Amino acid sequence: MVLLLGNYALDQQQSMRRFGAMMLEGLTGRGIKAELIEPEPVFGNVRLFGRFIQKWLGYIDKYFFFPRQLRRRIRQTKNPLVHICDHSNAVYVDNCRPAPVVVTCHDLLAVRGGLGEDTDCPATFAGRFLQRWILSGLRKAEAIACDSEATASDASRLLGEDNSGQWVNMVPLGLSHPYHPISDVAATSRLSELPSLDLARPFALHVGSNLRRKNRDAVLRIVAAVKDQWKGQIVFAGEALTRDLMQLGTRLGISDRVVQVSNVSNELLEALYNKAVALVYPSRFEGFGWPVIEAQACGCPVISSDSGPLPEVGGDAALLHPVEDEAGFAADLLRLTNPAERSRWAEKSLSNARRFSTSRMIDEYAAIYRRLGAAV
């Protein structure tokens, strides 16, 4: 029995929750017994205080009540294997005994930030304690599975070279949704529900959050650099832009071109990928870069930074630049406004995306489980 350990809902870690759901669907689809368990929001649901106090109340749910629930569930399970689906929950490794533990390590950016490295993830005093706790848990797991070679390299360095060959594995992600090319008519129909998007004009796309490492301010500057040669829009899918980013768009003279799409569904995002001139992704730090393969699976060209794992994920289908080369990003955006050029890179994108199979990902995790003695 595989116990998949998922994320606390109130932490709003949507990509991590998608990964847990992917694993559950993939394993049960193979006939492998699996269950997804998560810390239950109780104290964290109390709304009588500000966000700071609410966050600390959530710690009671996660670090006081849930470990007890986890130990009880493991005792009730015959021959359990625990798969912690997000490395930030490696703090629970000691509570999983005697079951063997696999941890998926999506990135080590926060851990590295907690150790004083520059990853755009600065840590408070409490944050430094938490990241060291996470690192301690990772060192006790029987197997670590990393999304990319870049993250696997970080894991080997931080966890100790002596053991890395035995239990650090590289298992690339598959798609969390079967994104694929759709007809122009279908994409236009789906996008018609966005009144702020002018479908008569082309648009570029960014998918992500306002975390500094996502570099959304650079996206605005890149679009501003081509505003006199290209009359297109820029769509930000995901978290709503901050006031500072909106003000930057105004100063750059492109506020009328900015379109925001929050709480985007898979179907709507698929349509955006299909219709966009390109995904503009100048991320400063990544663990994998899910939007890159999502876009490519829809035939959307990707203009990306060459940071961390992005070259290995985007392959020769991504147009890569150093983070600071915003002029290079802008030049490639203009280049892709040529339909023939976009079509050429769309074909390369579709070819590269085929490497990231969810079925293959499940096979590789099942192999890790078997090496640890699980009957799957």
Side-chain angles (χ1 to χ4, degrees):
M1 176 69 163
V2 179
L3 296 177
L4 299 166
L5 202 158
N7 287 63
Y8 186 62
L10 298 183
D11 284 342
Q12 297 295 313
Q13 294 168 311
Q14 301 304 333
S15 61
M16 296 299 95
R17 302 198 78 206
R18 287 204 311 272
F19 177 71
M22 282 174 64
M23 290 301 307
L24 181 63
E25 181 179 359
L27 293 173
T28 55
R30 299 287 180 84
I32 297 172
K33 290 184 178 180
E35 177 184 343
L36 180 63
I37 55 177
E38 303 171 337
E40 182 181 353
V42 178
F43 281 86
N45 275 326
V46 176
R47 305 293 184 182
L48 300 178
F49 309 101
R51 296 181 67 180
F52 177 80
I53 298 299
Q54 187 179 353
K55 178 180 178 179
W56 281 86
L57 290 173
Y59 289 160
I60 298 175
D61 292 334
K62 292 190 289 184
Y63 304 132
F64 183 75
F65 288 109
F66 184 65
R68 299 181 181 193
Q69 297 164 6
L70 177 58
R71 289 192 295 267
R72 183 168 60 251
R73 186 68 188 89
I74 289 171
R75 288 196 301 269
Q76 295 169 345
T77 304
K78 183 178 179 180
N79 299 324
L81 177 142
V82 177
H83 180 174
I84 297 176
C85 293
D86 176 7
H87 58 278
S88 67
N89 291 322
V91 296
Y92 298 121
V93 169
D94 283 336
N95 302 112
C96 297
R97 301 309 180 195
V101 180
V102 179
V103 181
T104 295
C105 191
H106 298 280
D107 65 69
L108 285 165
L109 301 176
V111 171
R112 290 171 55 196
L115 296 175
E117 298 183 20
D118 180 13
T119 60
D120 279 355
C121 297
T124 62
F125 174 80
R128 290 193 294 273
F129 172 81
L130 176 60
Q131 297 308 322
R132 283 170 170 79
W133 191 11
I134 291 169
L135 188 58
S136 175
L138 288 170
R139 287 178 173 140
K140 296 173 184 177
E142 278 71 28
I144 305 292
C146 299
D147 293 346
S148 65
E149 292 286 2
T151 298
S153 177
D154 282 344
S156 295
R157 174 172 63 87
L158 296 176
L159 300 177
E161 293 287 351
D162 291 342
N163 293 326
S164 64
Q166 299 174 13
W167 46 276
V168 174
N169 311 266
M170 206 277 279
V171 182
L173 292 172
L175 290 167
S176 63
H177 178 80
Y179 293 104
H180 65 282
I182 59 176
S183 70
D184 186 71
V185 171
T188 300
S189 175
R190 293 184 197 178
L191 295 178
S192 64
E193 68 182 70
L194 300 176
S196 57
L197 180 63
D198 183 354
L199 291 173
R201 299 168 62 189
F203 64 89
L205 177 66
H206 180 268
V207 178
S209 69
N210 292 321
L211 291 173
R212 183 174 185 269
R213 64 186 179 89
K214 298 298 183 180
N215 209 13
R216 280 181 153 185
D217 53 324
V219 177
L220 291 168
R221 289 192 295 270
I222 290 162
V223 172
V226 300
K227 66 181 180 181
D228 293 333
Q229 300 104 306
W230 182 62
K231 302 304 181 184
Q233 305 157 94
I234 175 63
V235 175
F236 288 95
E239 188 177 4
L241 295 176
T242 63
R243 180 180 298 180
D244 286 346
L245 286 170
M246 291 296 293
Q247 290 175 343
L248 175 61
T250 299
R251 292 197 300 273
L252 293 170
I254 58 168
S255 60
D256 60 329
R257 304 186 185 205
V258 173
V259 179
Q260 301 189 63
V261 185
S262 300
N263 302 314
V264 59
S265 67
N266 289 323
E267 291 72 22
L268 191 56
L269 186 57
E270 183 174 68
L272 287 168
Y273 283 136
N274 271 268
K275 287 284 285 183
V277 171
L279 176 74
V280 182
Y281 205 70
S283 184
R284 292 164 49 83
F285 297 97
E286 284 291 341
F288 181 80
W290 234 337
V292 171
I293 62 169
E294 292 174 351
Q296 290 183 336
C298 294
C300 177
V302 174
I303 313 171
S304 168
S305 70
D306 60 3
S307 299
L310 294 176
E312 65 180 279
V313 173
D316 63 3
L319 294 149
L320 300 171
H321 297 278
V323 171
E324 62 276 7
D325 182 19
E326 294 177 11
F329 277 86
D332 274 336
L333 178 55
L334 283 179
R335 174 183 178 184
L336 291 170
T337 61
N338 180 313
E341 193 71 3
R342 185 190 183 281
S343 179
R344 185 167 75 88
W345 285 94
E347 287 300 319
K348 290 164 70 75
S349 296
L350 289 168
S351 178
N352 184 68
R354 295 188 190 103
R355 296 191 294 132
F356 299 96
S357 159
T358 302
S359 177
R360 182 266 318 145
M361 181 187 77
I362 297 297
D363 284 342
E364 294 188 25
Y365 274 109
I368 293 172
Y369 300 161
R370 286 192 290 268
R371 289 203 299 271
L372 296 179
V376 297

